[in-house]
Amino acid sequence: MSTNTAGTDLDELVRAVEDRNPGEPEFHQAVREVLAPLGPVLERHPEYVKARILERLVEPERQVIFRVPWVDDGGDVHVQRAMRVGFNSALGPYKGGMRFNPDVTLGTIKFLGFEQVFKNALTGLAIGGGKGGADFDPKGRSDDEVMRFCQSLMTELYRHIGPDQDVPAGDAGVAAREIGFLFGQYKRITGTYAAGALTGKGTGWGGAQVRTEATGYGLVYFVREMLAGRYEELDGRTVVVSGAGNVSIYAIEKAQALGATVVGCSDSSGALHDPDGLDLDLIKQLKLTERGHLGAYVERRGGEASFEEGATPWRIPCEIALPCATQNELDEKDAKALVKGGVRVVAEGANMPCTDEAVAVFQDAEDVLYAPGKASNAGGVAVSAFEMEQNASRNGWTFENTDERLQATMKQIHETCRRTAAEHDHEGDYVAGANIAGFLRVADAMLAQGVV
Ligand code: NDP
Ligand code: 2IT
C-alpha cells in the first residue's frame, strides 16, 4: 500500500484500524482492500486528507448491540446477540441486510457494513451503508420459532430503523419469511404502515418485483457486460456456482436462461457436480421448499451427477466461476485449481468470498477477469432501493420494468468501474475501479456535508 505525500499514511491507517478493532480480521481485510488503490487518489485530492475523510470512513457512525431472548417450541429459553451497524449516511439512510448465522460477530457485521458503503455508492442511488445480524441459527427451527425470534429482535430494533433512518433487508439466513415476521412486528409496535422501513417484503404487500431474484440476476448481468468487453457471450459457456441459497439459485436461473450450462453448485454440506447441467427445479425443491441438503439431488436426479461431502466446487472445470456462498470460501489453492481448469471470468455473488491470496492469483493470471462483490452483487441492494422508491410514492412497477432497470444499473456499475480504473492507470482492474469510484462518490458527499 503506497504512502501519499499529502499526509495520510495508508499503512499506518490500516494498522490503526487493526489496533482499534481487535479480533475483527474480516473487517481489517475489507478495509485493506478498499484503501489499497487510494494513495494516488489522495495525492490528487488533498482536500480529502485535510478533512480526514478516510479516518472518518473506517469508523462506523453508530453501532447498536442488544440481547434477543426467545422461547423455542419445547419451552426452553434461548439468548441471542443481535446488532445493527450504521456505517455511513453521506448518500442516504443506512441500507443493508440482516444476517442470521451462528458465526455472526460484530466484526462480521462491520466488514459487511463497510463493503455496503461503497457498493451502495456504486449503484448511483440515494442509499448509505449499514448492516445487521444475529448469532441465531435458523437451520432446523420451525416457522413459529423463527417468528418468535424475529418478533423479539424487532422489539428492540424498531427504535433504530425507519424509511429515512435505516432500512434493513435480507442477507444470508434472512429472506421473505423473516422479513415478513420482522415487518409484522415493526408495524404492530409503531402503529404505522411504514412500508419503506424494510425491503424484501412480499410482492403482495409492498415488496418490489424482482427483489428475490435481483442479486443473482444482477450478478449474471454484470458477467454479461464483462464478457461483452471481449466480444463474448454467456451462451454455450460452462459455469460453476458456490452455495445453493438466494444468490446462487437466481444466478443459476439467469445463467441458464442466457444459454450457459451450470455444472456445479454447493451448500454447507458439500459440492454437487452434474455434467449434464443442474436441474434447477430439483435444487429449488431441496433447498427452498424442503430446506434440506444438496446430497439428496444425486439419487433423485440420477444420470452422471455426483456429490462430494465437505468439498468446495472449485475443482470442477469451468469457464465462469461465481462464488455465492460466504466470505473467504475460495482460497489460493482453489483459485489455482480454477485457473488450471480454464476459468476466464470470476465474479463474486457473495460478499468477499475470495481471500486476498485468491484475488492475487486471478489478477496475475493471463486472460482472467475478476469482479469484486461490491460491484457484481450490487443488484440486490439496487432493487431494494427501487422498493424504497415505490413505497415512498405508493406505486408499484411491473416485473419487466424492474428487471430492465436492474439491467441498466448493472451496466452502469460495470461501465463506472471500467472507466474509473482506466482513468486511474488500472486498466481492466475491477477492484481498483470499484473501490476508487465508490470512494469518490462518498468522499465528495462527506466533504460537502462538513465535519459530522
Ligand atoms: P443464503 O443463506 O440464502 O444461502 C447461502 C448459501 O451458501 C447456502 O446454500 C449455504 O449452505 C451456503 N453456505 C454458507 N456457508 C457456507 C460455507 N462455509 N461453505 C459452503 N457453503 C456455505 O444466503 P444468500 O444467498 O442470501 O447470501 C449468500 C452471500 O451473498 C452472502 O455473502 C451474502 O452477504 C451475499 N449477498 C446476498 C444478497 C442478498 O440479497 N441476499 C445481496 C448481496 C450479497 P446451506 O444451505 O447448507 O446453509
Ligand atoms: O449484501 C447486500 O448487498 C445485501 N444483503 C442486500 C442489502 C439490501 O439492503 O437489499
Side-chain angles (χ1 to χ4, degrees), residues 371-390:
K374 63 171 71 71
S376 49
N377 75 29
V381 77
V383 176
S384 274
F386 299 163
E387 186 167 323
M388 291 162 69
E389 190 178 332
Q390 291 167 75

Side-chain angles (χ1 to χ4, degrees), residues 95-98 112 116 119-120 131 167-172 199 211 215 351 377-378 380-382 384-385:
K95 183 80 197 85
M98 292 290 288
L112 290 163
Q116 201 81 46
K119 179 194 305 192
N120 293 4
K131 201 85 185 190
V167 184
D171 191 77
T199 61
R211 177 62 190 86
T215 312
N351 287 306
N377 75 29
V381 77
S384 274

